Amino acid sequence: MEKAIEIAREWKLNIKLIYLILLIVSTFVSVALMNFFLGLGLLYIIFALLSGKDKIKIGLLGKYIILLSIVTFTSTLIFNPQAILEAFVEVGLLYIYFFPVDRNSSLKVLKDTYKATYIVGVVGLILFYYRHFFLGIEKMFWGKAFKAGRFSSIFSFLYLFHAIENFLRKKKINLKLIFHIVLFILSVFGIIVAGKRSFILAFFLTSIILIFLFSKLFQRKKVVIPILFVSIFSLVSGIIYVSAERNYNFSHFSFEEIIQLASSNRDKIALDAISIIKSDFTEGKIVNILIGHGENCGAYLPHPYSLNHRQEKYESIFLLSEFVEKGSIGVLIEILIIYKVLLFIATLEKEKEKEKLFLLLWGSIPLVIHFFGMIFVFLKDPTLPTWLIMFRLSENVNRS
């Protein structure tokens, strides 16, 4: 009987491991599969809560996710109830962060996805460059240029981690190291070819964070200098590529025109958001100042400056767009989430097993890329729940 119980527990553990691996890998391959697995995961969390079979832990970000969902649902119910379904999709799926998984299982999932995504990235880059050069479209497995830019960013750091890990272990140039570096360069240029400025910026800022981290942990110029060089090179070449592709001649533009081009005319949308916030303060709308106007409030609030933009969100700098929807409380919560994630990475310590450090970074960096890449809206992306559960896995592994 005891043997049967042990086998059952092992089977249950394997099911959870397989589920998490499939969820993470499917995020790069198919949005339908990803949503299917997210749904399964949320159902299991509900089952675990009701049955008490699995202990649900809060984690570093848990209380902030709960508070953010409360703010979003409350403001939407009060001011824009017809968007309650959209509010559920946006913040409800974030509860996948609470999926119960222990430390050892988390480490195994990170290891397996670290290897599996390496292969997925190779296939994705082949598809991306084939479609770019032969079909004239920027696409990997799903989505368009925006997703291609996001996935290229994630793949670039994945291959960078493999390259640095290889170098630190072998301490010499070898064929595997060269292959990692080639994939890294192809991924970086994938970000540039996709032409998404937000992920060029995300790559650059994430690289700066890693430079400081690696300088602290390894104190080796051979590790730091190549990252700095490639990061600066990618930013400069990205700007040149995008401006040349779109026939921009910045010398003939005014400063205002350059801002409009760089932001895809979101400067006008920012003025819309500022006008809404200013009106709230002028008219003393305390509730709106605190919790915002609800999900997709742009559908009913005015757009005095961006009349040609029909949109449900004020997609400008996320501090403005999120303030309009979720108020000062929502923005504060989101800033705290970003702070907690960056603090987690900044306080990582040098591991005796170098592979473990890169596994922790593998789980954390996709979420950092999301923060920097989503400069216009904080939550509006279907892949965010996956990056949250990956970060949770890193949390579990890092827990002493």
Side-chain angles (χ1 to χ4, degrees):
M1 184 64 181
E2 290 180 1
K3 185 66 175 176
I5 292 174
E6 186 179 343
I7 293 173
R9 285 176 178 170
E10 186 68 23
W11 174 246
K12 175 185 174 184
L13 177 65
N14 286 339
I15 289 293
K16 290 170 71 174
L17 290 179
I18 292 170
Y19 162 75
L20 287 169
I21 292 168
L22 289 175
L23 169 61
I24 293 170
V25 174
S26 69
T27 301
F28 298 97
V29 176
S30 167
V31 65
L33 275 176
M34 178 192 71
N35 287 328
F36 171 74
F37 287 121
L38 282 174
L40 288 180
L42 291 173
L43 288 175
Y44 183 82
I45 292 170
I46 294 171
F47 168 77
L49 281 171
L50 296 177
S51 65
K53 295 289 184 182
D54 247 326
K55 187 176 181 181
I56 305 295
K57 297 179 180 179
I58 293 295
L60 281 177
L61 306 181
K63 60 184 177 182
Y64 302 112
I65 291 173
I66 293 171
L67 288 172
L68 188 63
S69 65
I70 291 172
V71 169
T72 303
F73 280 122
T74 302
S75 62
T76 304
L77 279 173
I78 295 174
F79 300 108
N80 195 25
Q82 60 268 31
I84 195 65
L85 180 60
E86 288 85 350
F88 171 77
V89 171
E90 185 169 279
V91 295
L93 292 178
L94 303 186
Y95 276 74
I96 195 67
Y97 174 83
F98 296 103
F99 190 86
V101 56
D102 61 37
R103 184 179 184 276
N104 291 332
S105 302
S106 298
L107 180 60
K108 181 164 178 54
V109 172
L110 288 177
K111 281 183 177 179
D112 290 344
T113 54
Y114 190 61
K115 297 172 183 175
T117 310
Y118 189 104
I119 300 171
V120 171
V122 172
V123 177
L125 287 172
I126 292 172
L127 286 173
F128 174 75
Y129 282 109
Y130 170 79
R131 286 171 171 156
H132 174 74
F133 288 114
F134 294 99
L135 304 180
I137 58 175
E138 281 69 49
K139 180 180 179 181
M140 282 194 181
F141 297 100
W142 66 278
K144 295 182 180 179
F146 190 81
K147 288 295 180 293
R150 174 189 292 279
F151 294 152
S152 293
S153 302
I154 295 173
F155 294 149
S156 68
F157 288 108
L158 173 64
Y159 298 132
L160 178 65
F161 296 153
H162 276 279
I164 296 176
E165 181 190 346
N166 178 281
F167 177 77
L168 292 173
R169 188 174 61 252
K170 302 288 186 180
K171 294 182 174 59
K172 63 179 181 179
I173 297 175
N174 54 77
L175 287 176
K176 188 175 285 188
L177 173 63
I178 294 172
F179 187 62
H180 297 329
I181 293 173
V182 169
L183 290 175
F184 170 65
I185 293 171
L186 287 174
S187 299
V188 171
F189 276 89
I191 308 170
I192 299 168
V193 171
K196 303 316 292 182
R197 293 147 296 179
S198 55
F199 287 111
I200 294 173
L201 178 64
F203 173 82
F204 179 74
L205 294 177
T206 306
S207 297
I208 297 300
I209 291 173
L210 289 176
I211 286 169
F212 284 112
L213 178 65
F214 291 154
S215 297
K216 179 185 76 172
L217 297 182
F218 302 125
Q219 296 178 344
R220 289 193 178 190
K221 292 181 179 179
K222 290 181 180 179
V223 174
V224 174
I225 291 176
I227 303 175
L228 179 61
F229 172 77
V230 175
S231 299
I232 295 174
F233 174 77
S234 68
L235 183 65
V236 174
S237 60
I239 293 172
I240 294 172
Y241 178 86
V242 172
S243 59
E245 182 189 43
R246 302 186 183 185
N247 296 317
Y248 294 159
N249 186 346
F250 291 109
S251 62
H252 294 165
F253 291 150
S254 67
F255 178 76
E256 182 180 351
E257 290 172 327
I258 292 174
I259 293 297
Q260 290 175 356
L261 286 170
S263 66
S264 298
N265 290 315
R266 285 187 173 91
D267 59 315
K268 295 180 180 178
I269 305 173
L271 291 175
D272 287 337
I274 291 171
S275 70
I276 298 297
I277 296 169
K278 183 179 178 181
S279 175
D280 289 341
F281 277 96
T282 302
E283 298 175 22
K285 297 179 179 178
I286 303 300
V287 177
N288 293 124
I289 293 170
L290 292 176
I291 63 173
H293 293 264
E295 183 72 14
N296 291 346
C297 58
Y300 73 90
L301 290 175
H303 295 267
Y305 297 96
S306 59
L307 297 175
N308 296 327
H309 288 262
R310 184 186 178 277
Q311 56 188 19
E312 297 175 333
K313 285 184 175 289
Y314 290 91
E315 292 189 8
S316 54
I317 299 172
F318 93 90
L319 291 174
L320 293 175
S321 56
E322 296 297 294
F323 195 106
V324 174
E325 285 198 353
K326 301 174 180 68
S328 55
I329 295 177
V331 169
L332 177 61
I333 293 169
E334 292 173 351
I335 291 173
L336 287 172
I337 290 174
I338 296 173
Y339 169 74
K340 285 289 184 180
V341 173
L342 295 180
L343 182 64
F344 174 85
I345 293 175
T347 54
L348 287 176
E349 296 179 357
K350 191 172 183 179
E351 299 284 347
K352 291 182 180 178
E353 300 176 20
K354 292 183 176 63
E355 180 192 15
K356 184 180 173 184
L357 170 66
F358 293 105
L359 289 177
L360 292 173
L361 288 172
W362 161 238
S364 309
I365 288 301
L367 188 54
V368 175
I369 291 172
H370 174 85
F371 292 152
F372 291 142
M374 299 298 287
I375 59 174
F376 301 125
V377 281
F378 182 73
L379 297 175
K380 192 70 172 180
D381 192 274
T383 60
L384 176 56
T386 298
W387 317 140
L388 279 173
I389 190 62
M390 287 180 68
F391 179 76
R392 185 59 186 271
L393 295 175
S394 290
E395 274 186 66
N396 294 341
V397 173
N398 195 50
R399 191 182 300 126
S400 59

